[in-house]
Amino acid sequence: MIGLLCLFFLMMVILCLVFWMRSSKDKKELSFFQQRLERERKKKSLKQLFCEETELPNINYIQKKLLNKNKKNSSVMHVVCVGRTADFYKFFDSKTSRLIKHELHYHLSDNLSPSIIGLFEGKYIVIVFDSDEPALQKDIIEQQQEIQYYLPSEKKVDNKNIMLDYSIASMNIPSLIQPQDENKLFRRIAYSVNKSCQCVDGLYVYDVNDYNKSVKKRRVIQALHCDIQQGGAQFELFYQPVVYSMNTSKEYLWEILLRWKRTQYGGPGEFMPLLATEPHLHYALTMMVFNKLIEYSIANEKALPNFSVNISHTDLGIVNFYDDVMESTKEVPGLRKSIIFEIVEYSEDISGNKIKGNIELLKKAGFRFAIDDFGCGYSNFNILSKKNFDFIKLDKSLLKKCQNDIVASETLKFMVKLSELIGVTLIVEGVETPLHLRLLPKKAHVLFQGFHFYKPMRLTNTLALTSLSVPIRSVLNH
């Protein structure tokens, strides 16, 4: 009996030993696979921190370093754009591009000893310096100059010399940067790089006021684009009569004035110059105003005076401008002689062949032209020698200066005489007081405009049309 118990006990011990050994082996195998999985995970994690093409640190690496840096330190980030264009490396094969990036990276790293260095978007060199105190403007400029000093002017690749040029965008980085600030930081980097490429010397230090203006401009243009595409309900037209100098109770023409109902974006003096940087968008709005005036004129039974419409030199340069205007007025060709195109003061160049051709064709069709705010901005006497204009509108600042400024007073007299000699009508803007009126001559070829006679009055409360001669969407897609 005792022998059987001993045998049973021995068998149990053997079974436990076998089970333990198998379990230990499984654990070792599991541990091996776990370790391998962990190594792969780390490898993948590290791969996210380096550029695939060059294996140099990328923006994820830079961001991680910024998040982990000493919170008491301040940092300055410099972004170097090689070739001063985002397309620089597209001119080379991948081997040459990789070689240039590698050599610049290690050359700058060795000579500048930055706290962080890497690539943004695989092409922009990002260099970060730490300091105990926030860097002043002069400190940042000194760092830019040091970076410039160590940037080579050429690189030799496969026995060929490649000339190199650079732009450097720089900014202070907040000491407590958070992951949620990533997009905010990237937007400012992109803005600063773009500004640096536009600067003559290729150097730009981030300015929050510049950036905010740029953001506002983008928002205004986006809002304009939206309202124009939706048909013009957010715009309205006003008019201000221009009167004869010899009979101020008689109107010669109406100047058509555009107003935007979204007053938070300012008046025409603020949003129209922004719109002028978007030629096709500006043109779409010009044609909306023009078509609304044609519709208004047709619908109005009483006789209307002449009216002037503001256009820019970019409108005149649009290929379809002449055809679109003629199409809009084909049902009322007699109206053409009543329409005056007023070229606004930020139109600095009307010397292009297409512009000159459009002016000549439109004048033959009966339209007339005025130059606005003469004596201000880009307006000059050379423009008058082209004989393209039927009217000159003097900038209102000239009249304001006349009572105390002999030069302004004599200039006004000269313009009255010159306009008479060259056979154009002179419109004096800004007549606001009886004193202004006493300073002005009463001549057959002189017209007056200003609050002394009329303030702007509403013509229509929308630009939306019942029928549209020129579809706005097609204009936007020219």
Side-chain angles (χ1 to χ4, degrees):
M1 185 69 179
I2 293 172
L4 287 171
L5 287 171
C6 288
L7 182 63
F8 177 76
F9 178 76
L10 183 61
M11 289 178 66
M12 291 301 293
V13 170
I14 292 170
L15 284 171
C16 287
L17 283 171
V18 171
F19 179 77
W20 177 82
M21 289 174 68
R22 285 183 177 179
S23 177
S24 177
K25 185 179 178 183
D26 288 343
K27 283 183 179 178
K28 283 183 179 178
E29 288 179 357
L30 183 63
S31 176
F32 170 77
F33 284 117
Q34 282 179 329
Q35 289 174 9
R36 185 173 179 180
L37 187 64
E38 186 63 26
R39 284 198 302 270
E40 288 297 321
R41 191 181 292 117
K42 285 183 178 178
K43 188 177 178 182
K44 189 175 181 180
S45 177
L46 285 172
K47 192 176 180 181
Q48 292 176 345
L49 302 176
F50 296 88
C51 300
E52 188 174 345
E53 179 198 14
T54 60
E55 298 183 346
L56 295 173
N58 64 16
I59 195 65
N60 296 325
Y61 172 90
I62 295 166
Q63 186 187 9
K64 186 176 180 181
K65 284 284 190 179
L66 287 172
L67 288 169
N68 294 333
K69 74 185 182 70
N70 189 334
K71 298 296 185 285
K72 292 182 180 179
N73 287 347
S74 294
S75 302
V76 177
M77 177 184 286
H78 303 276
V79 184
V80 180
C81 178
V82 183
R84 294 184 68 166
T85 171
D87 297 328
F88 175 76
Y89 290 110
K90 291 182 180 179
F91 297 104
F92 306 100
D93 57 47
S94 57
K95 179 186 173 183
T96 302
S97 297
R98 189 164 56 249
L99 183 63
I100 294 172
K101 291 172 187 178
H102 266 272
E103 289 191 8
L104 288 175
H105 176 90
Y106 292 111
H107 178 71
L108 293 173
S109 181
D110 292 343
N111 286 283
L112 296 171
S113 301
S115 57
I116 306 171
I117 186 168
L119 289 177
F120 174 54
E121 294 184 350
K123 53 194 171 188
Y124 303 110
I125 305 170
V126 177
I127 302 168
V128 179
F129 295 108
D130 286 342
S131 60
D132 296 331
E133 299 290 335
L136 301 175
Q137 180 91 352
K138 66 179 183 63
D139 301 323
I140 297 175
I141 293 172
E142 285 176 5
Q143 289 180 11
Q144 285 181 331
Q145 291 171 344
E146 186 179 12
I147 294 169
Q148 270 189 319
Y149 178 79
Y150 285 110
L151 286 168
S153 59
E154 62 180 26
K155 275 286 175 189
K156 196 165 188 175
V157 179
D158 293 335
N159 295 320
K160 293 181 181 179
N161 285 335
I162 299 174
M163 305 304 295
L164 299 174
D165 191 13
Y166 311 88
S167 66
I168 305 173
S170 309
M171 68 182 76
N172 269 309
I173 302 296
S175 58
L176 297 174
I177 188 169
Q178 298 298 322
Q180 61 266 29
D181 296 332
E182 177 182 325
N183 289 335
K184 187 177 176 182
L185 177 62
F186 289 171
R187 285 196 299 269
R188 282 154 178 75
I189 290 174
Y191 169 77
S192 299
V193 169
N194 185 51
K195 290 287 286 186
S196 69
C197 291
Q198 293 172 3
C199 293
V200 176
D201 60 1
L203 301 178
Y204 178 76
V205 179
Y206 172 77
D207 184 294
V208 67
N209 292 324
D210 281 352
Y211 180 75
N212 288 338
K213 286 178 185 176
S214 174
V215 170
K216 182 182 178 183
K217 175 184 175 181
R218 189 164 62 249
R219 286 175 182 164
V220 171
I221 289 175
Q222 286 173 348
L224 283 165
H225 194 282
C226 179
D227 287 347
I228 290 169
Q229 280 202 321
Q230 289 179 1
Q234 289 295 328
F235 299 98
E236 53 190 348
L237 294 180
F238 283 67
Y239 70 98
Q240 186 178 27
V242 175
V243 300
Y244 288 90
S245 63
M246 298 179 72
N247 181 3
T248 56
S249 63
K250 187 178 179 183
E251 299 172 8
Y252 177 78
L253 68 85
W254 291 352
E255 181 183 6
I256 305 304
L257 305 167
L258 180 69
R259 297 290 182 266
W260 194 15
K261 295 176 185 177
R262 299 188 191 275
T263 54
Q264 69 269 32
Y265 295 124
E270 294 176 72
F271 70 79
M272 287 305 290
L274 294 181
L275 198 57
T277 64
E278 303 286 329
H280 286 85
L281 197 59
H282 190 288
Y283 181 62
L285 189 56
T286 295
M287 290 310 300
M288 288 177 77
V289 171
F290 187 77
N291 280 285
K292 187 63 179 179
L293 285 171
I294 302 303
E295 183 183 72
Y296 179 86
S297 299
I298 293 171
N300 205 298
E301 294 180 358
K302 67 176 182 179
L304 298 175
N306 304 301
F307 54 83
S308 65
V309 183
N310 289 332
I311 62 171
S312 72
H313 76 289
T314 56
D315 292 334
L316 275 170
I318 295 291
V319 173
N320 293 340
F321 183 61
Y322 171 76
D323 292 335
D324 288 344
V325 167
M326 296 299 287
E327 176 67 21
S328 295
T329 56
K330 69 179 181 180
E331 301 298 329
V332 281
L335 196 60
R336 293 167 183 164
K337 66 179 184 301
S338 300
I339 299 172
I340 300 159
F341 289 116
E342 194 170 309
I343 304 180
V344 293
E345 53 99 6
Y346 49 82
S347 308
E348 72 266 31
D349 184 10
I350 59 164
S351 60
N353 289 333
K354 188 62 189 176
I355 294 175
K356 288 192 293 185
N358 275 336
I359 290 176
E360 289 171 5
L361 288 171
L362 288 165
K363 283 177 73 69
K364 286 179 182 177
F367 297 97
R368 289 174 290 172
F369 286 83
I371 182 166
D372 192 20
D373 293 340
F374 190 84
C376 172
Y378 296 103
S379 306
N380 57 55
F381 289 99
N382 184 52
I383 291 175
L384 298 182
S385 66
K386 308 295 182 185
K387 297 182 179 178
N388 292 319
F389 297 96
D390 307 280
F391 301 84
I392 301 171
K393 292 190 75 174
L394 289 183
D395 182 60
K396 57 187 175 184
S397 64
L398 184 66
L399 181 56
K400 285 184 178 179
K401 294 176 184 175
C402 276
Q403 59 193 85
N404 299 315
D405 188 333
I406 186 65
V407 174
S409 180
E410 291 302 315
T411 301
L412 177 60
K413 293 176 184 176
F414 169 74
M415 287 305 302
V416 170
K417 188 176 291 186
L418 177 64
S419 58
E420 188 174 19
L421 286 172
I422 62 176
V424 300
T425 301
L426 185 71
I427 303 174
V428 182
E429 289 188 282
V431 184
E432 297 178 357
T433 66
L435 177 59
H436 287 160
L437 194 57
R438 288 198 296 272
L439 291 170
L440 296 170
K442 280 62 174 180
K443 296 262 188 179
H445 74 290
V446 177
L447 304 174
F448 296 155
Q449 181 180 6
F451 286 1
H452 182 69
F453 307 107
Y454 296 100
K455 291 184 178 180
M457 294 169 278
R458 182 178 278 103
L459 186 72
T460 68
N461 62 2
T462 180
L463 293 186
L465 304 177
T466 54
S467 62
L468 192 61
S469 300
V470 183
I472 295 307
R473 290 185 184 274
S474 71
V475 170
L476 285 170
N477 293 326
H478 272 339

